[in-house]
């Protein structure tokens, strides 16, 4: 058991407490930390001659980053939450009751339970620098500050705290100082400890001039009402537990004494910790961490092949997007090949998108400088032998692909990596077209490429691990979030999506209104409902895919047969321009025996359709890890982050037990 908090009492009676959770990169409130803190408090409670204390972290870039999320996500019952929170409450109450002043000297991350600790101290001093971030970001993981944050921060800085907490903002030191969260700033490079001790001496001498006005909450009702409207706008009307309960804790707690407010916070916090949304959000947080740095997904010790030039085949919808993301995220020269007539329109399109990004200050260099790295060609010219990676995005026809790979392999080097963006042709089926097929794999992008984070990296039977690792490296360079899977019709994301669409179409054929089916899923948290999505991607596309799957979907057959390919694609589809359902489309919906479904039944039915495919994908080894599926569906389809992915949500709601008698995630 390590000693986390250790105090040295200096001659002048100033206690300097350094805390360091040895062995961890970050300081968090571990059991050891609480135990050690309790010992320190006992020492301080009985100490004579200590006039005040400065708390400072022993880590170079981290003050204290809050509670341990893994532990929180495993808590299952109210008494368990209470036991965990009791540590916080009893420690912080004892700290608040010390007869001597305390100063938190902050550098690095001071977040969540770390800031809640600092808020109990008499004063706060923070060192500026890019690593210093101060805030209560719990809302981002489906929680809210439950160790006094919802009560102490508003009492310190007034109602602006409400928005800070509801948005989970993390502030640099200077902004925290402007808002009154910290009292003093130390410039980057300054001596934080010396400044902290000097500040403490001022507090002791009564010259620090700390203003702690009693905050006026007389307008609280209207502030809360506004905040509530803001949340509901951001969640498109969904009442998620974390922001709703945080708001109630503040609304009710700020009208009573601090100790009563803390009790109110504690009750709501128990409720939020036990919510499924907290567990779902924490899962998404870990999924994000897992795929934020694709390097961690590569084979240990792998050194990626250095890319000096990337070539793209096909300057259509997808080729353009792949070119845009390679150009803007790397400094690599990009060569793109298509027929002569496609080159100028492609170039103009790329420039238009880059111009838009420059306008929004999302480009780090002038558009001309970015465009200067783009070369277009309609022949397999001199540029190809120097390409280290070729991404193919030509027509989705195996004959065309065969011809293209045949021509390509005559001009590229043997070690050049080749990747197809195909959405439906197995990588293994195309491998024979590529000489040295170990260097060939899939990289499946989503449209529009520059807005969609996900890519599926596909391992064909012959694809080498080195190629997979190099494709993960490319994904990292162009800032994509990759998942790795094996050949499978629709890979992961489309394989899960299409059965959901088929199920949704069945519901409308059974007489459930289109609006109701779509609304059920937007209320569930999807960005669009399934029928609208079919309309937006172009109705002919799922129609064709379903035929490929051996399913002649009657409604789509009727709708496509009537020349309605979707509002955007052909001006007519399921919807009118004003967003309402087109009555002409209604007449084309096939008939089935009527079956009226409730919103919950629709949600459960469509989730079931997805999860069944997910189970099959796992069983067949298309992915090695269930988390790949959830990453794919969250970042490829916009599945709600608070639900943690379809597979996690099935676990949390009991659906996986009901369907298969077991959970997908290990306990
Ligand atoms: P597209 O029709 O917009 O573009 C294809 C381009 O390839 C055209 O510009 C065409 O002139 C060019 N091309 C044809 N033969 C060529 C050759 N021999 N050499 C060089 N260029 C040639 O098609 P899109 O939508 O960009 O699709 C391309 C690939 O990406 C397909 O494999 C498709 O399945 C896949 N994909 C499409 C998605 C989408 O949402 N459109 C999503 C993910 C993958």
């Amino acid at each position: 058991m390590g000693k986390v908090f250790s105090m040295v009492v200096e001659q002048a009676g100033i206690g300097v407490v350094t805390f360091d959770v040895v062995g961890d990169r970050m300081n968090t409130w571990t059991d050891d930390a609480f135990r050690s803190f309790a010992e320190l408090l006992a020492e301080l409670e009985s100490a004579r001659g200590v006039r005040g204390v400065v708390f400072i972290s022993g880590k170079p870039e981290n003050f204290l980053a809050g509670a341990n999320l893994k532990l929180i996500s495993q808590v299952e019952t109210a008494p368990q939450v209470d036991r965990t929170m009791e540590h916080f409450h009893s420690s912080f109450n004892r700290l608040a009751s010390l007869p001597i002043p305390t100063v938190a000297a902050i550098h690095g991350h001071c977040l969540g339970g770390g800031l809640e600790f600092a808020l109990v101290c008499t004063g706060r001093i923070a060192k500026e620098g890019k690593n210093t971030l101060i805030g209560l970001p719990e809302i981002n993981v489906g929680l809210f500050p439950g160790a006094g944050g919802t009560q102490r921060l508003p009492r310190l800085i007034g109602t602006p705290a409400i928005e800070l907490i509801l948005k989970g903002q993390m502030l640099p030191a200077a902004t925290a100082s402007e808002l009154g969260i910290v009292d003093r700033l130390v410039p980057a490079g300054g001596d934080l400890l010396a400044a902290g001790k000097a500040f403490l001496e001022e507090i002791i001498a009564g010259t620090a001039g700390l203003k702690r006005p009693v905050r006026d909450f007389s307008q609280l009702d209207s502030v809360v009402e506004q905040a509530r409207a803001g949340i509901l706008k951001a969640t498109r009307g969904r009442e998620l537990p974390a922001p709703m309960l945080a708001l109630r804790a503040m609304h009710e707690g700020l009208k009573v004494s601090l100790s009563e407010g803390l009790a109110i916070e504690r009750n709501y916090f128990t409720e939020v910790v036990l919510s499924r949304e907290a567990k779902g959000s924490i899962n998404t947080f870990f999924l994000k961490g897992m795929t934020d740095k694709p390097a961690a997904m590569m084979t240990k010790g792998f050194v990626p092949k250095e890319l000096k030039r990337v070539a793209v085949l096909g300057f259509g919808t997808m080729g353009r997007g792949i070119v845009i993301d390679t150009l803007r995220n790397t400094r690599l020269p990009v060569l793109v090949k298509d027929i002569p007539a496609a080159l100028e329109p492609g170039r103009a399109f790329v420039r238009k998108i880059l111009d838009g990004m420059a306008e929004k200050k999302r480009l780090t260099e002038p558009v001309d400088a970015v465009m200067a790295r783009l070369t277009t060609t309609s022949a397999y010219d001199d540029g190809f032998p120097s390409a280290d990676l070729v991404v193919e995005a030509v027509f989705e026809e195996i004959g065309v692909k065969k011809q293209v790979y045949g021509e390509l392999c005559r001009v590229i080097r043997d070690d050049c990596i080749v990747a197809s963006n195909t959405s439906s042709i197995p990588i293994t089926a195309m491998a024979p077209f590529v000489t040295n097929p170990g260097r060939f794999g899939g990289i499946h992008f989503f449209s529009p490429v520059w807005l969609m984070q996900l890519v599926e990296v596909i391992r064909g039977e012959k694809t080498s691990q080195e190629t997979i690792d190099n494709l993960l490296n490319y994904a990292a360079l162009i800032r994509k979030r990759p998942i790795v899977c094996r050949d499978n019709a629709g890979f992961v994301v489309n394989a899960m999506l299409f059965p959901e669409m088929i199920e949704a179409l069945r519901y409308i054929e059974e007489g459930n209104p289109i609006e109701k089916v779509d609304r059920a899923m937007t209320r569930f948290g999807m960005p669009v409902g399934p029928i609208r999505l079919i309309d937006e991607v172009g109705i002919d596309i799922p129609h064709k895919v379903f035929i490929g799957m051996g399913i002649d979907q009657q409604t789509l057959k009727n709708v496509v047969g009537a020349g309605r390919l979707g509002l955007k694609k052909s001006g007519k589809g399921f919807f009118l321009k004003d967003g309402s359902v087109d009555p002409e489309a209604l007449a084309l919906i096939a008939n089935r025996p009527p079956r009226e479904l409730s919103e919950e039944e629709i949600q459960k039915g469509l989730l079931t359709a997805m999860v069944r495919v997910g189970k099959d994908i796992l069983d067949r080894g298309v992915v090695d890890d269930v988390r790949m599926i959830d990453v794919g569906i969250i970042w490829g389809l916009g599945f709600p982050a608070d639900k943690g992915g379809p597979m996690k949500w099935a676990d949390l709601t009991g659906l996986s037990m009901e369907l298969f008698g077991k959970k997908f995630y290990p306990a």
Side-chain angles (χ1 to χ4, degrees), residues 48 155 269 328 386 437 511 667:
R48 265 169 253 289
R155 282 176 171 83
F269 186 73
R328 72 171 173 143
S386 61

Side-chain angles (χ1 to χ4, degrees), residues 314-319 337-339 342 393-396 400-401 404 421-423 444-445 447:
F315 213 8
T317 308
M318 297 307 285
K337 176 186 176 290
D338 204 313
I339 54 168
V394 303
F395 294 142
E396 186 72 342
V400 176
K401 306 263 189 202
V404 164
N421 177 46
T422 177
S423 39
H444 184 232
F445 289 84
S447 180

Side-chain angles (χ1 to χ4, degrees), residues 374-397:
L374 175 64
T375 315
T376 52
T377 176
S378 55
Y380 287 106
D381 59 20
D382 303 351
F384 281 89
S386 61
D388 303 292
L389 166 69
V390 178
V391 183
E392 170 275 306
V394 303
F395 294 142
E396 186 72 342
E397 273 175 41

